[in-house]
Amino acid sequence: MDIRMFAKHEAAAETAATGATGATAATAAVAEEGERGSTPDTASDSSQDGASETVAVGRAARELELKRGEFELAAQLGHVRTTVVVGAGRRAVGRREVEWREIERLRAAERFPDALRERVRTVGTAEGAELMAISPGRFTRLAKAGYLTPVKFYLNRYRAVVWLYLADELTAFAAREGTLLVGRFPRTLTAGRDPDDDVRPRNWRGRRIGHLLHLSEDPWERAAITGSVLDPVQRAELVVDPYERAYLSRLQPDLAHGRSESEAALAAVRPLLLADHPDEIRWHRASLTALLDEARRTRPAPRPDPQGDVSPRHRPEPAPGPGSGPVAPGSDGDRVPWPTAADEPLRRGSGKRLLTRLRLRKEKERDPGRPVGSERR
């Protein structure tokens, strides 16, 4: 299962709810996105006959004169083909590199690097509305209705979500759907629709999941990608084995780049990462079940060795309770809980204990003969 099937399902649901034909076209464009994703080739760390040298994505971005965000978007859209590196007989999960011949191909293209930068240029609401020669209000209504699909987002200094769109897609939409840019909106767009309904997060999740699925061929990784938009309670319902849950948690991708340590920023991003529409939830639950069946047929999830040693990487994950919240990716690839208010006293207490130890050590250095912590008379 991939994003093309999900897009068709979303298009049918959107049409049934609103009767808007333009929203169907916009959702279908997301399905076509999967066709243009980076080729999930596999390269080897060891030199082979005819194998091309690969470089890390950081160096590839410098060679192509792209910012890191521009390079990541170019790889997602298939403008830069990446390869999965395999070393020592085991796949390095998430490690992607770029063949040198691919860099040379792009550098030899006409109007490099301006042409490549234009293909990954993103704009916000104001600039996008200007590009389409419409008002920002009309642009927002089209985006909320699903006609325009965002490709990424960020939080501004007020912790508000700012959606970004591909400039090329906006230009193509304006040329194709000129009737939606002037005059009154069609009744199919407004009839029976909640004015506050916003499908931008749902469309972004579908697009992001589609990109990640296209980049992966490993069935366990694909199951982790699909399950990443379900909350922990729903994942525990579908994945009963704790070792399988721990393995999926380790493989779970970071859907939103550039995570902030601010609790306010995390609170603003959390709702965007989890499926919230009933049709979307049902679809991802069904996809996760099918992908898990395929993954189990391929190989079992890692288990403890016969001596009973359970490494932290393969430690079973306890089933979350009804009050459990989403989880955030850890720096070492394991999954750690999102920080909660209950964690605050522990963090503050740890800091106090550290200051106390430093003070007692300083007192001992000043007066070695006096008992540590006693009052000076």
Side-chain angles (χ1 to χ4, degrees):
M1 296 187 180
D2 55 24
I3 192 59
R4 288 169 289 177
M5 297 178 63
F6 173 64
K8 293 178 181 178
H9 177 81
E10 285 293 288
E14 188 70 24
T15 304
T18 65
T21 57
T24 304
T27 313
V30 180
E32 296 175 1
E33 192 73 44
E35 298 289 347
R36 305 195 302 269
S38 299
T39 304
D41 298 331
T42 302
S44 175
D45 287 337
S46 58
S47 57
Q48 300 177 354
D49 295 340
S52 175
E53 177 189 359
T54 61
V55 299
V57 294
R59 181 183 173 186
R62 292 192 298 270
E63 295 289 344
L64 295 175
E65 302 181 31
L66 296 176
K67 298 177 182 178
R68 187 59 180 266
E70 292 175 334
F71 178 86
E72 291 176 353
L73 189 55
Q76 290 179 16
L77 299 176
H79 302 323
V80 179
R81 292 193 294 266
T82 60
T83 60
V84 177
V85 176
V86 176
R90 187 179 68 179
R91 185 178 182 201
V93 176
R95 183 183 173 191
R96 305 192 68 86
E97 296 189 350
V98 182
E99 292 186 353
W100 187 254
R101 60 188 176 189
E102 172 69 3
I103 296 176
E104 292 178 340
R105 179 186 71 84
L106 294 170
R107 290 175 63 91
E110 186 178 357
R111 296 180 56 240
F112 172 84
D114 294 337
L116 183 58
R117 287 174 179 165
E118 291 174 2
R119 296 166 76 182
V120 296
R121 177 189 168 210
T122 57
V123 296
T125 298
E127 192 174 356
E130 182 179 356
L131 189 65
M132 299 174 65
I134 58 177
S135 68
R138 194 180 191 95
F139 183 96
T140 301
R141 290 188 66 182
L142 289 172
K144 284 186 173 182
Y147 287 89
L148 308 175
T149 302
V151 71
K152 60 194 299 187
F153 71 89
Y154 70 92
L155 298 182
N156 62 15
R157 60 179 178 175
Y158 304 108
R159 301 289 184 250
V161 178
V162 179
W163 295 103
L164 297 177
Y165 308 81
L166 285 173
D168 280 352
E169 289 186 356
L170 298 183
T171 303
F173 178 84
R176 184 179 65 251
E177 303 287 348
T179 56
L180 293 175
L181 306 184
V182 295
R184 301 182 62 180
F185 279 109
R187 292 182 58 86
T188 54
L189 178 63
T190 58
R193 185 182 185 87
D194 185 353
D196 296 329
D197 189 18
D198 188 355
V199 302
R200 287 177 296 183
R202 193 193 321 170
N203 284 350
W204 171 79
R205 284 190 296 268
R207 186 172 206 162
R208 179 73 173 132
I209 292 296
H211 287 154
L212 294 173
L213 287 176
H214 190 86
L215 292 175
S216 176
E217 292 181 327
D218 181 75
W220 282 103
E221 277 188 17
R222 293 172 65 83
I225 292 169
T226 301
S228 63
V229 296
L230 297 174
D231 64 60
V233 176
Q234 295 192 65
R235 287 201 301 269
E237 292 176 359
L238 299 175
V239 189
V240 180
D241 190 323
Y243 291 101
E244 291 183 346
R245 285 201 305 272
Y247 192 40
L248 292 176
S249 295
R250 182 166 65 87
L251 299 176
Q252 186 171 327
D254 187 5
L255 296 182
H257 297 296
R259 293 183 296 112
S260 172
E261 299 300 328
S262 167
E263 180 64 24
L266 293 175
V269 169
R270 284 171 194 158
L272 305 178
L273 305 181
L274 297 178
D276 55 3
H277 192 274
D279 288 340
E280 183 186 11
I281 294 173
R282 283 193 295 268
W283 174 258
H284 286 299
R285 286 175 64 97
S287 298
L288 177 58
T289 301
L291 289 171
L292 277 175
D293 291 341
E294 179 185 354
R296 289 163 181 154
R297 289 193 299 267
T298 304
R299 68 178 186 277
R303 302 273 174 174
D305 58 28
Q307 287 74 25
D309 178 28
V310 183
S311 63
R313 176 174 295 242
H314 299 156
R315 194 175 303 280
E317 181 179 274
S324 300
V327 293
S331 58
D332 59 349
D334 295 323
R335 308 297 293 177
V336 298
W338 286 101
T340 62
D343 298 328
E344 293 296 333
L346 179 61
R347 289 199 292 268
R348 289 196 294 267
S350 300
K352 290 180 180 178
R353 288 194 294 271
L354 175 61
L355 294 177
T356 301
R357 291 197 299 270
L358 293 175
R359 178 177 60 80
L360 294 177
R361 182 183 301 175
K362 187 173 296 185
E363 290 180 0
K364 184 176 180 180
E365 293 174 352
R366 286 201 304 264
D367 192 355
R370 185 171 59 89
V372 176
S374 62
E375 294 293 335
R376 188 182 297 273
R377 300 294 181 184

